[in-house]
Amino acid sequence: MTLQQQINNHVSKSIKKLNLESKKNAVDSDYFKYALKAKEVITADINRDGVKDRIAVLDFCEETTCHPTTMSTEVVVFIGKKDQTFSLLGSYFYSVVASVKKDKNGGIYVHQYDYFDNDGHCCPSRLTKFNLHIKDGKLMSRKVN
């Protein structure tokens, strides 16, 4: 299976998960239905084995009235193998808006923006940073500030 097929399969599963969670938390039969709004694939060597890995940054939002209060970002890591294939390592959901940054030493960070109490619906301004790393063969996300 190609990397693109793996990402597409993961997107489908994540949308189902988000829709089920939305339906479970709804007070009536009207609940948010999610869709993929943006996708970015970043190349990095997260496990530092000399083989390039891929990090998919998937932005989901309510499909009819997308705005920051209905957004969610999932960061999905695929480990590259020497035979040019990829395997899913793991993923994390981050609230509202998130982006992936690489530092010059190969570190991978997620910058998540969330709301302070007096932020408008348009503009989450609270920045929280997380470090993505591998520990005992598992993807980990650790808050760094």
Side-chain angles (χ1 to χ4, degrees):
M1 184 181 308
T2 68
L3 177 63
Q4 189 58 53
Q5 290 169 323
Q6 289 183 67
I7 292 171
N8 291 344
N9 287 345
H10 194 87
V11 166
S12 294
K13 290 176 186 176
S14 294
I15 289 172
K16 286 179 185 177
K17 180 180 177 180
L18 288 165
N19 287 341
L20 284 172
E21 188 69 24
S22 176
K23 189 174 185 177
K24 183 176 96 175
N25 293 323
V27 293
D28 55 28
S29 63
D30 189 26
Y31 61 94
F32 290 140
K33 294 165 187 77
Y34 285 85
L36 180 68
K37 293 298 180 188
K39 171 180 64 178
E40 177 184 13
V41 178
I42 298 167
T43 300
D45 186 7
I46 192 167
N47 61 350
R48 294 183 167 90
D49 66 353
V51 178
K52 296 295 183 184
D53 308 310
R54 300 295 187 272
I55 302 168
V57 182
L58 309 172
D59 293 324
F60 298 97
C61 198
E62 200 281 321
E63 63 185 2
T64 57
T65 54
C66 180
H67 52 83
T69 61
T70 66
M71 291 181 70
S72 180
T73 299
E74 184 179 17
V75 177
V76 188
V77 175
F78 295 90
I79 297 298
K81 299 177 185 176
K82 290 181 183 178
D83 67 358
Q84 307 281 324
T85 61
F86 295 88
S87 62
L88 174 65
L89 176 64
S91 68
Y92 279 94
F93 273 96
Y94 297 92
S95 63
V96 190
V97 180
S99 61
V100 172
K101 309 288 183 192
K102 298 188 297 185
D103 70 18
K104 61 184 175 188
N105 299 321
I108 307 297
Y109 296 90
V110 176
H111 290 192
Q112 171 187 286
Y113 288 90
D114 204 349
Y115 291 96
F116 280 112
D117 290 338
N118 51 353
D119 283 348
H121 288 300
C122 69
C123 312
S125 64
R126 181 189 336 212
L127 172 62
T128 307
K129 296 178 185 178
F130 297 87
N131 170 253
L132 285 181
H133 60 282
I134 299 172
K135 182 177 180 182
D136 299 328
K138 295 183 181 180
L139 181 65
M140 306 300 288
S141 178
R142 180 183 71 235
K143 189 175 175 180
V144 292
N145 65 335

